[in-house]
Amino acid sequence: MYIPDYFRPSDEEVRAVLQTPGAVHLITSTARGLLATLLPMVHDEPGSRPGLGEFGALLGHTAIKNDQWREPAIGETLAIVRGPDAYITPSWYAAKREHGRVVPTWNYTLIHAYGRLVIHEDAAWLEANVRRLVEAHEAERDHPWGVDDAPRPYVEGQLRAIVGVELLIDRIEAKDKLSQNRSEADIDGVIAGLEADGEQDVSAAMRRTRDS
């Protein structure tokens, strides 16, 4: 990934994105070519259990009928973790009014996590992963759904239909492209424009970056 120094996030910012990875693009190079699956995942922090490196691990599961887990990965596996992103119109820049030498762009936060893929077929591992994912995404709902709300035989049947995947992260490339290369006036204009359009996540990230 091309990462100019002014778009390079701090270690703390990278950890914050990894703590809530959401849906991750898991990509493997195999004898059949490149395979990819979009999977919700959770992150294990470094030091949270034995065997994890300085970047921890990403854990999720996929359908047992998905051939990606059956095909041995050649070399590293890549997980693309996306933070917020948004289109940026040059109309928001103060520079447009000053000299007009501006073009559209896209602001985003992105992490490329590389490492070794481990497959888990153990029922206890799978159930623990499912429960973590459910709790992570249901926690803020007024009436959160829980795994135990479903009949136990049904849950056990669903668990037999999935396989666990874990990426032990060896290295990370991360990028926060949030208009850091623009003037303060341009940044303020982009934040105001995004918020006027009802966008909150990228504008909030831009505020944090600007204020730090």
Side-chain angles (χ1 to χ4, degrees), residues 187-206:
I187 292 171
D188 289 343
V190 170
I191 291 173
L194 287 168
E195 292 178 345
D197 280 357
E199 197 288 326
Q200 299 296 326
D201 295 332
V202 173
S203 56
M206 289 183 65

Side-chain angles (χ1 to χ4, degrees), residues 14-70:
V14 171
R15 282 195 294 269
V17 175
L18 286 175
Q19 284 171 1
T20 55
V24 171
H25 292 275
L26 187 71
I27 302 169
T28 52
S29 177
T30 75
R32 287 176 49 190
L34 290 175
L35 299 177
T37 305
L38 183 67
L39 298 174
M41 302 188 91
V42 290
H43 182 243
D44 273 358
E45 293 278 353
S48 60
R49 55 186 170 86
L52 295 184
E54 62 176 308
F55 302 110
L58 289 166
L59 304 88
H61 58 268
T62 186
I64 201 167
K65 293 184 178 180
N66 182 350
D67 284 340
Q68 185 175 10
W69 72 272
R70 300 180 189 275

Side-chain angles (χ1 to χ4, degrees), residues 6-9 13 83-86 88 93 105-110 175-183 186-188 190-191 194 199 201-210 212:
Y6 42 77
F7 292 152
R8 195 178 303 279
E13 290 169 326
D85 67 280
I88 308 300
Y93 293 144
T105 190
W106 205 278
N107 278 6
Y108 56 88
T109 295
L110 189 67
K175 188 172 183 179
D176 258 348
K177 183 180 177 297
L178 298 171
S179 299
Q180 299 97 317
N181 58 329
R182 306 297 310 185
S183 69
D186 283 352
I187 292 171
D188 289 343
V190 170
I191 291 173
L194 287 168
E199 197 288 326
D201 295 332
V202 173
S203 56
M206 289 183 65
R207 286 184 183 277
R208 288 193 298 270
T209 299
R210 180 196 62 187
S212 63

Side-chain angles (χ1 to χ4, degrees), residues 129-145:
N129 180 251
V130 168
R131 288 182 180 275
R132 281 185 66 184
L133 284 163
V134 168
E135 290 166 5
H137 295 288
E138 291 279 342
E140 296 185 4
R141 300 181 65 84
D142 292 337
H143 303 286
W145 181 87

Side-chain angles (χ1 to χ4, degrees), residues 55-192:
F55 302 110
L58 289 166
L59 304 88
H61 58 268
T62 186
I64 201 167
K65 293 184 178 180
N66 182 350
D67 284 340
Q68 185 175 10
W69 72 272
R70 300 180 189 275
E71 295 288 337
I74 300 172
E76 293 179 309
T77 292
L78 167 64
I80 300 178
V81 184
R82 292 179 53 180
D85 67 280
Y87 171 74
I88 308 300
T89 172
S91 300
W92 291 334
Y93 293 144
K96 176 183 180 294
R97 297 182 294 275
E98 295 168 3
H99 51 69
R101 296 189 300 275
V102 292
V103 293
T105 190
W106 205 278
N107 278 6
Y108 56 88
T109 295
L110 189 67
I111 292 175
H112 286 181
Y114 300 86
R116 180 170 64 91
L117 189 65
V118 179
I119 304 302
H120 295 275
E121 299 181 72
D122 177 71
W125 192 100
L126 289 166
E127 182 165 353
N129 180 251
V130 168
R131 288 182 180 275
R132 281 185 66 184
L133 284 163
V134 168
E135 290 166 5
H137 295 288
E138 291 279 342
E140 296 185 4
R141 300 181 65 84
D142 292 337
H143 303 286
W145 181 87
V147 172
D148 294 326
D149 291 340
R152 185 63 196 176
Y154 175 78
V155 171
E156 291 173 352
Q158 293 296 298
L159 292 173
R160 288 193 292 271
I162 61 175
V163 171
V165 291
E166 176 180 13
L167 181 65
L168 300 173
I169 305 171
D170 295 324
R171 63 186 180 96
I172 276 179
E173 295 177 341
K175 188 172 183 179
D176 258 348
K177 183 180 177 297
L178 298 171
S179 299
Q180 299 97 317
N181 58 329
R182 306 297 310 185
S183 69
E184 186 173 346
D186 283 352
I187 292 171
D188 289 343
V190 170
I191 291 173

